[in-house]
Amino acid sequence: MDTSVLPNDTQGFHTELQLSLDKLQKREDRAVSSAGFGSTIGGMAITSNYIGKVTEAIREDLKERPRSNTYVFRLHRFLRKLEPEVIALALLQAGLQFCGVEGKSTHRDVVLRIARAINDELWAVNLLKTNRVLGTQIQKKVKERYSSTEVRVKAAKKLAAKGDADGNSFVMQEWNNYEMSHAGNWGMTILQKAMPDVFELTEAAVFKGERMWRVTDHGLDLAKAAVREAVLKSPVYQPRTEPPKPWDTFIMRVSEDDRTLDRAQLIRTFHKDVMSAAKHGMRTGDMAPAVKGLNVLQAVPFTINTWILDLIIDCYNQDIKVKGVPFREELEVPARLPDVEFKAKSVEERRLLAKTIRGLNKANRANAADTVQFVEDIDTAQRTATAERFYTPMNWDWRTRTYALTRFNFQREDYVRSMFLFANGKPIGEEGLKWLKIHVANCGDFGKISKRTFEEREQWTDANLTDLVSYVEAPLVNLGWTKADKPFLFLAAARELVSAIDAGTSYVTHLPTGWDGACNGVQHMCLMTRDPQGRLVNLTNNPAPLDVYQVVADLAKQLIEADLGNMTLFGKPDDDKPDRKTFAPRDELARKALAFGVDRKLCKRNVMTFSYASSEFGMSQQHFEDTMLPLELKVLKKELEAHPFGENVDEWKLVSRYLAQMIRTAITQVLGLPAQAMAFMQKLAKALAHEGKPLKWVTPAGVTCINRYHESTTQRVELFAYDKGVKVRTQITIATGYEQAIAKEKSAAGIAANLTHSMDASHLLLSVGAAADEGITDIATVHDSYGCLACDAPRLIDIIRITLKRMYEDHDVLTELLESARTDLTPANHWRLDEAIAAMPQKGTLDLTEILSAKYAFA
């Protein structure tokens, strides 16, 4: 049987569906090699359809009371240790595993595979019952290191037998052949009883008397239908050569192939009340300003910058190190030593070698995944480059943040965005030449020039013009451009500048120049509260741009310096494992942080996410991911002699928590009113949750947003050896509905981020609409970043500021949120708002009229 189970009528698919088919085929091949046919889309369709019947058959069988001296009695005693759903999934996966491999689905092979699957789950449940910590650690390790489920199980049993550092180990006696035979036949009988239309035993064509286990034609039809539906439901959206149809209904067909089952929604949501509110808003025209902005953005025609495309390909082929381009040669991983040599090393040397091998393998796997995406992007770009112009259809998330439906879009990382040019151009003019020079400096950001005045940025570009020309003329030789903050955008801008200087002010420019909000989330929080600290995010007429990240970094450094000599312990000891480094004197942690350097880069992500209610724990995770792990990779690649924060994960996590605490303290001291506003929003969300209601608001662009979070009652059934990478294919999700009550804590945790995102989304949509009214329609956006032709930059930036001022003059966001909550709460529960009202921040003294002259608000 063909393992892909692909439908027969796939000829003539348009590119979007053909790419979906190709992508699915690769995924199916990987699934078969790692876990068998049962983990493919077709196999999982069979499993999803029949797991209920198999579970019921198991329950009925276990109700029987066989005599105590029979093997069935002993088998039932084992099986009752497992959930019936887990047994059912194990039987289905094992029963389907060999069905796609010719010659391996004999009766004996399948019986043994079913028995092993049951025995493996018994081993896992006993391990977790005996030592849950060890079992969880082993499960995580084998999933990280191996892709094959069979190899994972073997490795897990070996690790369990070896045990942990405290000598805790686990071994379970395996079933003998007689017991395996009985267990496997029992499982096969259950499958045949529950699924007579799917499984059958037939005589082998070659060996007389040998029986083969196979899926019936009905089962194959079910699998093929599932694969076909998966292809038709999931087109890999490609840039369009015709303008997308303007959004005028909530649901539209976006794919170019009429056979697709996909219908794109204006808003990416499955909640009926969100859909209903949006449909109502479209009928009444309340959402017209927002929809107008979206339709303007998706109607912008682009073309591919083929010079940059060719350069990206050359950099990859020649393995030139540029941010975003995967490396060709894998990192060299030390060979595993023979057991004798390995055991001769000290414990520390063994651990270091094992960590090095794991880390480099992980980096190589990540690079392999990046390479797959990179190749797809290049393929899309080359195909799109043949078109005179192309478009990227767009829609919103439920907060009306705008996203492209195509994977290849302007919102992507540097190397993708740099390939985008506006299809329509305009003469650059003297003013446009100035703004193009500023854009060049911003993209390069050498010496943090983007934090200086516009005049200084323009001067930097003029002073470095000779270097810019050399980069453009020989980019594969003069590699200074690769050190830029956004290397490919920088080089694309440099080339446009060199061409414009050569041609003069009549040069027709097509390059998008970008203008970003200064920590946009904090900007909106300051505007909601009229916090005078808005000057730190350049909402006032500052003579030079201020940097809130640096302000926070300076204060955090002072707080950390105050800990020098403080021997109070931070963290707490792990009494079960005293050798773990889970605590240390604050003095020690402060010295490590100061030696590394407490600067704006270290603090930036914490400050950016503060307005989205990032917790201290979340900020510590950011430090672990952004600082600790990259430093570990540098050590593994021998770019650093030693990790500056310690030798192991415990030490890194401890420092991450310390940094998060100190930086968050600094942020709350600098941004007091936004912190109060977040507390106010969270109390409102909790008050509504008491009545099982979500907090709602209408954005300045006229869209109703509903902060809806529920505790799902979904039951997840999984096997020990499967990982998150194939969760969809190897786990069965049995949906049993949603709780009526709102998830209080989730609603409170999400409200600040969601409200703030809806404000920046509204500002963007209103600004784009206002710009279109003045004839500026070539705009490319990334949430708080606006791209336009250089000659349009001064007017567009004015429009952005005018719109922002008007939006917050017309809307008292926090008061509107309170009134919405008051309206939705029953009068008997209005008292629940008292606590929120008490936490509502008093308005500050920020003068909104200053926004009009705040030239560095979007710069």
Side-chain angles (χ1 to χ4, degrees):
M1 188 189 77
D2 180 4
T3 58
S4 67
V5 201
L6 292 174
N8 296 321
D9 58 340
T10 58
Q11 296 299 316
F13 271 173
H14 285 188
T15 302
E16 292 175 341
L17 288 179
Q18 186 59 52
L19 288 171
S20 175
L21 188 64
D22 295 343
K23 189 174 183 178
L24 184 145
Q25 178 66 75
K26 292 176 184 177
R27 193 169 65 214
E28 296 286 83
D29 291 343
R30 289 196 299 270
V32 170
S33 65
S34 65
F37 172 70
S39 63
T40 63
I41 289 175
M44 287 308 297
I46 294 173
T47 301
S48 299
N49 276 274
Y50 285 93
I51 190 170
K53 291 183 179 181
V54 176
T55 300
E56 187 57 35
I58 292 168
R59 286 200 175 103
E60 288 298 318
D61 188 83
L62 293 178
K63 286 179 182 178
E64 297 179 7
R65 298 296 174 184
R67 293 198 308 268
S68 60
N69 61 344
T70 62
Y71 178 72
V72 177
F73 176 83
R74 292 182 59 203
L75 178 62
H76 278 197
R77 189 177 62 188
F78 286 124
L79 294 174
R80 287 192 178 94
K81 295 181 180 181
L82 300 172
E83 293 293 329
E85 292 85 358
V86 172
I87 301 172
L89 183 55
L91 296 184
L92 282 159
Q93 290 290 295
L96 288 165
Q97 180 174 1
F98 290 136
C99 288
V101 184
E102 194 65 37
K104 285 199 173 184
S105 54
T106 66
H107 176 264
R108 179 179 179 278
D109 286 335
V110 177
V111 164
L112 292 177
R113 183 67 195 92
I114 288 174
R116 278 198 298 272
I118 298 171
N119 193 235
D120 291 342
E121 291 308 308
L122 281 170
W123 175 88
V125 78
N126 284 327
L127 167 63
L128 293 169
K129 184 177 180 181
T130 304
N131 190 333
R132 177 162 290 277
V133 173
L134 177 63
T136 303
Q137 290 174 345
I138 289 173
Q139 189 177 32
K140 182 180 178 181
K141 281 183 181 179
V142 298
K143 287 178 179 179
E144 287 179 348
R145 297 181 187 181
Y146 311 105
S147 59
S148 167
T149 54
E150 188 172 350
V151 174
R152 286 175 181 168
V153 171
K154 290 179 180 178
K157 291 180 178 179
K158 186 176 179 180
L159 287 170
K162 181 180 178 182
D164 57 22
D166 296 329
N168 299 315
S169 60
F170 176 81
V171 177
M172 188 183 86
Q173 185 172 345
E174 301 284 338
W175 286 339
N176 60 36
N177 288 339
Y178 178 78
E179 291 168 324
M180 294 279 280
S181 177
H182 273 283
N185 276 304
W186 173 86
M188 183 174 280
T189 301
I190 291 290
L191 290 176
Q192 287 180 302
K193 180 180 178 180
M195 307 167 64
D197 54 339
V198 174
F199 289 119
E200 63 182 2
L201 278 169
T202 61
E203 291 292 327
V206 180
F207 300 106
K208 194 171 183 181
E210 178 71 86
R211 291 189 299 169
M212 304 299 292
W213 176 258
R214 66 181 294 272
V215 175
T216 64
D217 291 341
H218 171 76
L220 288 179
D221 289 342
L222 180 64
K224 289 179 180 180
V227 174
R228 176 177 172 78
E229 185 177 14
V231 172
L232 296 180
K233 275 188 173 181
S234 306
V236 178
Y237 286 120
Q238 296 297 292
R240 302 285 300 269
T241 54
E242 297 294 331
K245 183 179 181 294
W247 285 99
D248 55 10
T249 60
F250 184 75
I251 299 177
M252 291 197 313
R253 184 191 297 278
V254 178
S255 176
E256 291 185 313
D257 195 310
D258 290 338
R259 286 172 290 181
T260 181
L261 300 176
D262 182 75
R263 298 290 189 278
Q265 295 184 167
L266 173 64
I267 298 177
R268 303 176 183 189
T269 182
F270 56 85
H271 289 300
K272 291 183 179 179
D273 54 351
V274 178
M275 297 181 194
S276 177
K279 292 174 183 177
H280 176 76
M282 294 195 78
R283 285 195 304 271
T284 60
D286 292 342
M287 285 172 45
V291 175
K292 175 184 177 181
L294 178 64
N295 284 332
V296 169
L297 288 174
Q298 70 169 5
V300 174
F302 295 100
T303 187
I304 293 292
N305 187 334
T306 54
W307 185 79
I308 284 288
L309 170 61
D310 292 340
L311 177 66
I312 294 170
I313 295 171
D314 287 340
C315 288
Y316 176 70
N317 289 335
Q318 297 182 31
D319 210 9
I320 294 173
K321 300 296 182 290
V322 192
K323 183 166 56 176
V325 178
F327 45 85
R328 291 291 298 267
E329 298 294 329
E330 287 193 342
L331 300 175
E332 187 176 351
V333 180
R336 294 187 181 275
L337 297 175
D339 286 346
V340 175
E341 290 184 43
F342 186 74
K343 290 178 180 177
K345 290 183 173 292
S346 66
V347 174
E348 290 75 15
E349 288 175 325
R350 292 184 205 172
R351 286 178 178 171
L352 178 60
L353 178 61
K355 186 173 79 169
T356 301
I357 291 173
R358 285 197 305 272
L360 292 174
N361 279 329
K362 184 178 180 180
N364 283 332
R365 288 196 299 270
N367 185 70
D370 292 341
T371 301
V372 171
Q373 183 59 62
F374 176 81
V375 171
E376 289 181 5
D377 290 333
I378 295 302
D379 180 63
T380 301
Q382 289 176 321
R383 192 168 53 250
T384 306
T386 62
E388 184 177 338
R389 52 185 56 206
F390 69 90
Y391 306 81
T392 55
M394 297 175 173
N395 66 355
W396 296 323
D397 69 7
W398 68 269
R399 303 161 303 187
T400 65
R401 289 199 119 191
T402 301
Y403 292 93
L405 286 162
T406 58
R407 181 76 178 92
F408 185 83
N409 65 74
F410 186 81
Q411 294 179 329
R412 291 277 304 283
E413 57 268 47
D414 172 63
Y415 81 85
V416 176
R417 194 182 307 180
S418 67
M419 290 188 269
F420 279 71
L421 293 173
F422 290 123
N424 300 319
K426 291 182 181 178
I428 193 165
E430 286 290 346
E431 190 73 2
L433 197 59
K434 166 191 168 182
W435 287 95
L436 178 55
K437 290 178 180 180
I438 295 169
H439 174 69
V440 170
N442 287 345
C443 292
D445 204 17
F446 293 97
K448 298 299 175 186
I449 188 64
S450 68
K451 305 302 176 288
R452 308 296 291 275
T453 66
F454 287 141
E455 292 74 20
E456 288 173 301
R457 297 181 218 181
E458 187 179 358
Q459 290 166 10
W460 181 93
T461 301
D462 287 334
N464 288 276
L465 191 57
T466 301
D467 287 338
L468 298 180
V469 172
S470 73
Y471 298 153
V472 171
E473 290 180 346
L476 299 176
V477 178
N478 301 318
L479 298 177
W481 63 272
T482 63
K483 307 303 179 185
D485 182 55
K486 301 179 182 71
F488 289 109
L489 282 169
F490 171 69
L491 193 59
R495 183 171 186 261
E496 189 81 350
L497 177 63
V498 171
S499 299
I501 291 173
D502 287 345
T505 56
S506 61
Y507 175 76
V508 178
T509 181
H510 292 263
L511 185 85
T513 58
W515 314 102
D516 300 353
C519 196
N520 192 242
V522 174
Q523 283 184 328
H524 283 282
M525 293 296 288
C526 287
L527 289 165
M528 289 179 207
T529 59
R530 305 296 192 270
D531 188 348
Q533 292 291 62
R535 66 186 182 82
L536 298 179
V537 285
N538 298 301
L539 291 173
T540 55
N541 185 16
N542 302 331
L546 294 181
D547 187 357
V548 69
Y549 307 123
Q550 189 61 55
V551 172
V552 170
D554 291 341
L555 179 55
K557 185 177 180 181
Q558 292 176 24
L559 295 174
I560 292 171
E561 286 173 341
D563 262 345
L564 293 174
N566 184 351
M567 303 310 293
T568 305
L569 295 181
F570 179 85
K572 59 182 181 179
D574 187 334
D575 295 331
D576 295 330
K577 295 185 177 180
D579 59 323
R580 288 188 61 192
K581 297 183 179 180
T582 56
F583 67 100
R586 298 184 74 94
D587 171 79
E588 178 185 325
L589 300 175
R591 291 183 186 281
K592 287 182 178 180
L594 293 170
F596 178 74
V598 181
D599 56 13
R600 71 183 304 279
K601 181 180 179 182
L602 191 71
C603 300
K604 183 175 181 179
R605 190 175 173 197
N606 286 174
V607 179
M608 288 176 65
T609 57
F610 173 74
S611 297
Y612 308 131
S614 180
S615 65
E616 189 174 302
F617 173 78
M619 290 183 178
S620 72
Q621 289 294 102
Q622 292 167 6
H623 287 297
F624 186 76
E625 295 167 2
D626 298 348
T627 304
M628 306 303 161
L629 293 181
L631 287 171
E632 181 198 20
L633 183 58
K634 286 188 176 183
V635 172
L636 295 174
K637 293 165 69 175
K638 294 184 171 50
E639 295 174 7
L640 278 178
E641 287 188 12
H643 198 294
F645 293 109
E647 298 178 354
N648 57 55
V649 170
D650 288 335
E651 292 181 273
W652 307 340
K653 287 185 176 179
L654 185 65
V655 178
S656 296
R657 286 163 47 206
Y658 175 77
L659 288 172
Q661 184 185 89
M662 304 307 283
I663 293 172
R664 199 173 199 282
T665 300
I667 296 171
T668 54
Q669 289 184 21
V670 172
L671 302 171
L673 286 179
Q676 293 176 36
M678 286 188 282
F680 163 72
M681 296 176 203
Q682 291 167 354
K683 291 181 186 299
L684 283 184
K686 289 182 178 180
L688 269 295
H690 277 287
E691 287 191 358
K693 296 175 180 176
L695 188 56
K696 303 176 184 176
W697 64 94
V698 178
T699 73
V703 182
T704 299
C705 292
I706 305 175
N707 190 58
R708 179 175 290 284
Y709 291 90
H710 296 275
E711 294 291 353
S712 173
T713 58
T714 299
Q715 180 183 359
R716 305 183 74 82
V717 185
E718 61 178 296
L719 303 181
F720 183 83
Y722 291 102
D723 64 10
K724 294 179 181 178
V726 291
K727 181 185 288 185
V728 174
R729 296 191 296 276
T730 59
Q731 290 187 349
I732 303 304
T733 300
I734 303 172
T736 56
Y738 286 92
E739 297 283 0
Q740 290 300 310
I742 293 292
K744 184 189 299 185
E745 296 304 323
K746 288 183 179 178
S747 296
I751 179 60
N754 294 330
L755 181 72
T756 305
H757 282 318
S758 74
M759 292 302 116
D760 76 52
S762 289
H763 176 226
L764 181 146
L765 294 167
L766 293 172
S767 296
V768 168
D773 290 340
E774 296 194 20
I776 302 174
T777 55
D778 291 302
I779 304 174
T781 62
V782 188
H783 305 317
D784 67 327
S785 175
Y786 298 75
C788 65
L789 295 169
C791 49
D792 288 334
R795 183 54 190 155
L796 178 62
I797 294 172
D798 281 345
I799 291 170
I800 292 168
R801 292 195 298 254
I802 292 168
T803 305
L804 187 63
K805 169 182 173 289
R806 184 178 300 146
M807 190 172 100
Y808 279 100
E809 281 181 336
D810 295 345
H811 296 276
D812 185 338
V813 175
L814 298 182
T815 300
E816 290 175 8
L817 192 66
L818 174 61
E819 291 310 309
S820 175
R822 197 190 306 276
T823 300
D824 286 344
L825 268 180
T826 56
N829 271 322
H830 277 182
W831 63 270
R832 295 189 183 278
L833 296 175
D834 292 344
E835 189 178 352
I837 293 171
M840 190 174 184
Q842 295 295 315
K843 286 287 193 294
T845 58
L846 179 67
D847 183 358
L848 294 182
T849 60
E850 284 207 56
I851 297 173
L852 299 179
S853 56
K855 59 182 178 180
Y856 297 112
F858 290 82

